[in-house]
Amino acid sequence: MSDTDPTADDCPYSNAIPMLGLGTWENTNPAACAESVATALEMGYRHIDTAQAYGNEESVGKGIAAADIDREAVFVATKVWIDNLAHDDVIATTEASLDRLGVDSVDLMYVHWPSRTYDAEDTLGALNELYEDGKIDRIGVSNFEPDQLREAIEISDAPIVANQVECHPLFRQAELREVCDEEDIELVAYSPLARGDVFDVPALQDIADNHDASPPQVSLAWLRQQGVTAIPKATSEAHIRDNWQSLSLTLSDDELDRIETLDETGRRVDPGFGPWNQ
Ligand SMILES: NC(=O)c1ccc[n+]([C@@H]2O[C@H](COP(=O)([O-])OP(=O)(O)OC[C@H]3O[C@@H](n4cnc5c(N)ncnc54)[C@H](OP(=O)(O)O)[C@@H]3O)[C@@H](O)[C@H]2O)c1
């Protein structure tokens, strides 16, 4: 591992999406949230992930405004919550998200889950109108199973650019990764640190020790080397930096193979309304 921090230029992009971003779920203290967003942007991050349901779009917007980075250089993604997926609610709540974030448009708007008020024609129709109006630059989906993803691609005039799902060394999503590759859709990994569970896996610690790195860095390097974008949530500057330095870590083929043989231990994010539970 190099001693110097990577810069923004060291972060690869895939289909215009910076492949390492900052997650913000449960970063709900307004001052702490704004500060972690500004800290990340000043360190070199250019991708921030939030959602209507996180209750922190306003703080995320303040963090973006506080950082000395042009708005155009930052990739801002948010998500329409499952109660807001009827046509008129998609339009009204997206406009409210833009107001809270303090931006004219977002780079990516996801359907958060294909659940409750989701109706493929109705929901995606509204997102296409927002896309035509220039209020969202791209449409994405989240927590979509392969069949729902294919249906969304079929229905939407604008491309579906990403499917954001749980993915980490303990839940590797082999099938969805393959489907996304076939459809040329980015798989964006949420909970890329398994919400902390990757810290206690001896094989990941062992690989980390080989590189004088940390298990979170090994998880993030593994994802990047699979062509997967990751959005680890971190609040403290130390964690934000530790994750950012994963850009300097490259795992060997043997190490990548070793991760592919780890026991998979299921989902960390598994609400009753998840499509796999219906
Ligand atoms: N689309 C969806 O349905 C969905 C679902 C879940 C998550 N997400 C998105 O994905 C993001 C990431 O997922 P997540 O928040 O579930 O979990 P995660 O990123 O896997 O793990 C976050 C946890 O790891 C800690 N951490 C981060 N970096 C660390 C480091 N280098 N060393 C030690 N600890 C570290 C954080 O602590 P600190 O906060 O104290 O730094 C936090 O407790 C979310 O924030 C959200 O933006 C989306």
Side-chain angles (χ1 to χ4, degrees), residues 5 46 49 71 88 95-96 115-116 119 127 136-137 160-161 166 181 192 197 202 238 251 265-266 274:
D5 278 355
R46 291 293 179 267
D49 183 84
R71 160 70 188 96
D88 292 357
E95 283 169 356
S115 308
R116 213 169 289 168
D119 172 89
L127 286 171
I136 63 177
D137 294 344
I160 304 293
V161 302
E166 180 169 347
D181 272 355
D197 290 345
L251 304 178
T265 52

Side-chain angles (χ1 to χ4, degrees), residues 48 50-52 57 76-80 97 101 106 108-110:
I48 308 292
T50 180
Q52 292 173 348
E57 287 175 315
V76 182
T78 188
K79 313 182 192 82
V80 184
S97 286
L101 284 160
V106 284
L108 177 56
M109 179 58 99
Y110 293 101

Side-chain angles (χ1 to χ4, degrees), residues 25 49 142-143 164 191 193 195 231 233 235 239 242-243:
W25 183 26
D49 183 84
S142 178
N143 298 299
Q164 185 182 123
S191 307
L193 310 179
R195 315 212 75 216
I231 46 165
K233 178 254 188 178
T235 313
H239 288 171
D242 193 49
N243 297 338

Side-chain angles (χ1 to χ4, degrees), residues 2 6 28 31-32 50 54 86 108 120 137 154 158 184 191 222 245 257 262:
S2 137
T28 45
T50 180
Y54 301 169
L108 177 56
D137 294 344
E154 184 71 28
D184 197 22
S191 307
W222 173 77
Q245 287 173 336
D257 289 348
L262 290 176

Side-chain angles (χ1 to χ4, degrees), residues 63-235:
I64 294 169
D68 190 16
I69 312 287
D70 287 348
R71 160 70 188 96
E72 303 74 56
V74 184
F75 189 94
V76 182
T78 188
K79 313 182 192 82
V80 184
W81 184 236
I82 56 177
D83 293 330
N84 303 334
L85 294 169
H87 176 280
D88 292 357
D89 296 337
V90 172
I91 307 272
T93 65
T94 294
E95 283 169 356
S97 286
L98 298 183
D99 280 351
R100 283 190 294 269
L101 284 160
V103 297
D104 298 328
S105 65
V106 284
D107 299 85
L108 177 56
M109 179 58 99
Y110 293 101
V111 175
H112 203 148
W113 295 81
S115 308
R116 213 169 289 168
T117 58
Y118 177 69
D119 172 89
E121 298 269 1
D122 206 33
T123 305
L124 294 167
L127 286 171
N128 272 268
E129 287 172 32
L130 289 161
Y131 174 82
E132 289 299 324
D133 288 348
K135 293 188 173 157
I136 63 177
D137 294 344
R138 293 170 193 78
I139 299 174
V141 296
S142 178
N143 298 299
F144 275 43
E145 296 279 82
D147 286 352
Q148 294 161 325
L149 185 58
R150 292 195 185 96
E151 179 191 47
I153 293 167
E154 184 71 28
I155 285 175
S156 181
D157 290 333
I160 304 293
V161 302
N163 188 17
Q164 185 182 123
V165 296
E166 180 169 347
C167 187
H168 47 73
L170 305 176
F171 192 70
R172 296 190 286 278
Q173 294 277 22
E175 185 194 356
L176 260 183
R177 270 157 56 197
E178 212 173 295
V179 174
C180 286
D181 272 355
E182 279 163 19
E183 303 289 352
D184 197 22
I185 283 179
E186 295 308 303
L187 193 142
V188 177
Y190 74 63
S191 307
L193 310 179
R195 315 212 75 216
D197 290 345
V198 297
F199 310 155
D200 304 321
V201 179
L204 297 179
Q205 184 63 62
D206 195 39
I207 296 170
D209 290 345
N210 291 342
H211 296 272
D212 198 15
S214 67
Q217 291 171 339
V218 171
S219 290
L220 297 173
W222 173 77
L223 286 161
R224 190 186 75 244
Q225 289 179 255
Q226 308 307 306
V228 170
T229 290
I231 46 165
K233 178 254 188 178
T235 313

